[in-house]
Amino acid sequence: MNEELRTKLKGIYFEQFGHELLVTEMPFKYLQSIFEVDSHVQRELDHRRRNAIKEYILNTVHEETFYFSPFVYSARRCLVREGDGWEIKPGSKLMILEGQHRSSALTSALRHLYVKKEALEEMPQGKQEEISSIDRAIQKLENFTVTMQIYLNLTTQDERQLFTDINTERKNAHSGLIMKYDQREQYVILVRNIANKLHHLLDIETELSRLSAQNSSITSLVIMRRCLLALFEGILTHKEGQPKLSYCNEEEMEPIAYKFFKVWAELFPKQGGNRFRYACGLSGVQIALAFVIYQLVSSHGYTYFQAIDELKKLKNVTTWKHDDSLFAPFYDQRKKRLNNHSTQQTIIKLTNTFLASLAEKGEKKLEC
């Protein structure tokens, strides 16, 4: 790319609360060379956050597009008017104030694709179709249009304040909204499909990210997604991205998930969503039930459908009330309910409690 194209910008100029601002856009492949990070204003790069965004990009770029909010920069007097546009002074660069992780993730994703392409080109067998797919993804990322907000006259103190305001005042969409509207993640889409099919059997909260004791719904879309992570991958903590399946294929996910949640209608009492009275409406108990299935499949040779049938035996084991003997190790006498049910340690202990009860009904010794 020649110097003029690389350093000239066109955009809309205006003032915001006394600060001069230029709004423009640029393909990412040109943007990479005209900004840098000032560690006195910016925080250190969080590699885990960068890698999470990178995975999001790589999971999306082959099939559809993705959306980023504007990147924010400070010009530090390196931009001057030139005719009907603006020009970056030779040897100068913009300072990035917002978008560091997204920019680094785009660069990392491109690097990953180039390395993968080179490895495929060195293989003897024909991989042209896969190479062409990677080429298209590379072109898509290099030409990804970044909207830029460039502040022209900020002091260093102004830059620090802007960075602080952006990163403390903004709020991410809560998980309930993501579960309702996300169109990419397979777990989210699966949960919505299952909830729609079971709405006549189970009262499922579709708006809120957390269920209070006053809410009578048996579960929420957010909790159902956590159950699926435990069910299919044995994950009890947070995870983003697409499923990594070891014990079933993608086509089996929906019928397995449907059967798992449908069995709740048989297992739980009719007012199971009454969290004052019953423990079955607690997220930790529900995730533990999903983890029971994962343990039966991964460690004890059951198929998913066989394991879910095993779960039905719990109907004759517990009343699901907080003070039921099954939950004695977790019962808080003062609060009259299960305590700390949603911690990873408690979920594992609940899982072993359920497995021990199932073992008493059968012949196998079952545990995590």
Side-chain angles (χ1 to χ4, degrees), residues 223-234:
I223 297 170
M224 289 174 70
R225 182 186 179 279
R226 289 196 62 193
C227 286
L228 292 187
L229 284 174
L231 183 74
F232 290 116
E233 300 187 51

Side-chain angles (χ1 to χ4, degrees), residues 51-263:
N51 291 339
I53 300 172
K54 168 189 168 184
E55 289 302 313
Y56 160 70
I57 292 169
L58 291 173
N59 288 334
T60 307
V61 67
H62 289 284
E63 303 298 333
E64 50 190 314
T65 191
F66 54 91
Y67 303 93
F68 282 159
S69 58
F71 291 17
V72 182
Y73 301 87
S74 178
R76 292 193 174 178
R77 296 176 297 281
C78 78
L79 272 180
V80 293
R81 280 190 180 274
E82 184 70 28
D84 61 348
W86 298 78
E87 184 172 322
I88 299 177
K89 294 178 183 178
S92 299
K93 291 191 176 184
L94 305 173
M95 295 295 164
I96 190 165
L97 302 178
E98 168 63 12
Q100 176 190 12
H101 289 88
R102 287 172 288 163
S103 180
S104 181
L106 280 164
T107 301
S108 183
L110 278 166
R111 189 183 305 118
H112 171 88
L113 291 171
Y114 273 115
V115 170
K116 188 174 181 181
K117 177 187 174 183
E118 184 176 342
L120 289 171
E121 288 173 337
E122 293 175 354
M123 296 177 69
Q125 61 267 42
K127 294 284 184 179
Q128 192 54 48
E129 185 175 343
E130 194 171 348
I131 291 171
S132 296
S133 175
I134 293 174
D135 271 331
R136 289 192 294 271
I138 289 172
Q139 292 299 314
K140 198 171 181 180
L141 293 186
E142 288 185 336
N143 292 296
F144 178 75
T145 301
V146 176
T147 302
M148 305 166 64
Q149 293 180 356
I150 306 173
Y151 286 88
L152 304 177
N153 63 340
L154 296 181
T155 66
T156 302
Q157 185 58 40
D158 290 333
E159 292 173 355
R160 289 171 178 157
Q161 188 61 58
L162 187 149
F163 174 80
T164 302
D165 288 349
I166 288 175
N167 288 282
T168 57
E169 296 301 321
R170 72 178 179 188
K171 295 184 183 296
N172 294 326
H174 70 71
S175 51
L177 280 177
I178 294 171
M179 294 300 302
K180 189 173 182 180
Y181 296 119
D182 190 283
Q183 300 298 319
R184 293 195 183 97
E185 191 194 290
Q186 194 169 342
Y187 278 126
V188 174
I189 295 169
L190 178 56
V191 163
R192 285 202 301 262
N193 290 344
I194 298 299
N196 186 55
K197 290 180 179 180
L198 291 176
H199 73 276
H200 62 292
L201 286 177
L202 299 174
D203 182 0
I204 299 170
E205 172 59 58
T206 60
E207 302 283 345
L208 302 176
S209 56
R210 298 186 67 181
L211 296 181
S212 66
Q214 289 74 27
N215 192 307
S216 62
S217 298
I218 187 66
T219 193
S220 70
L221 299 182
V222 173
I223 297 170
M224 289 174 70
R225 182 186 179 279
R226 289 196 62 193
C227 286
L228 292 187
L229 284 174
L231 183 74
F232 290 116
E233 300 187 51
I235 294 175
L236 302 180
T237 55
H238 177 72
K239 177 206 167 178
E240 295 180 356
Q242 301 307 316
K244 294 183 179 179
L245 306 173
S246 299
Y247 303 103
C248 70
N249 56 49
E250 282 192 22
E251 292 72 25
E252 294 174 308
M253 287 181 71
E254 185 160 338
I256 290 169
Y258 177 81
K259 182 168 183 176
F260 170 70
F261 290 115
K262 184 174 182 289
V263 83

Side-chain angles (χ1 to χ4, degrees), residues 43-52 100-101 104:
R43 59 190 165 194
E44 286 188 20
L45 185 72
D46 183 334
H47 295 282
R48 287 185 298 178
R49 185 179 175 197
R50 188 270 311 277
N51 291 339
Q100 176 190 12
H101 289 88
S104 181

Side-chain angles (χ1 to χ4, degrees), residues 328-355:
F330 316 98
Y331 185 67
D332 187 315
Q333 289 285 352
R334 185 176 60 84
K335 296 180 179 179
K336 304 298 182 185
R337 57 181 289 120
L338 267 64
N339 198 30
N340 298 324
H341 62 87
S342 60
T343 67
Q344 184 174 347
Q345 184 178 15
T346 301
I347 291 172
I348 292 172
K349 289 180 179 179
L350 281 165
T351 300
N352 280 324
T353 297
F354 291 138
L355 287 170

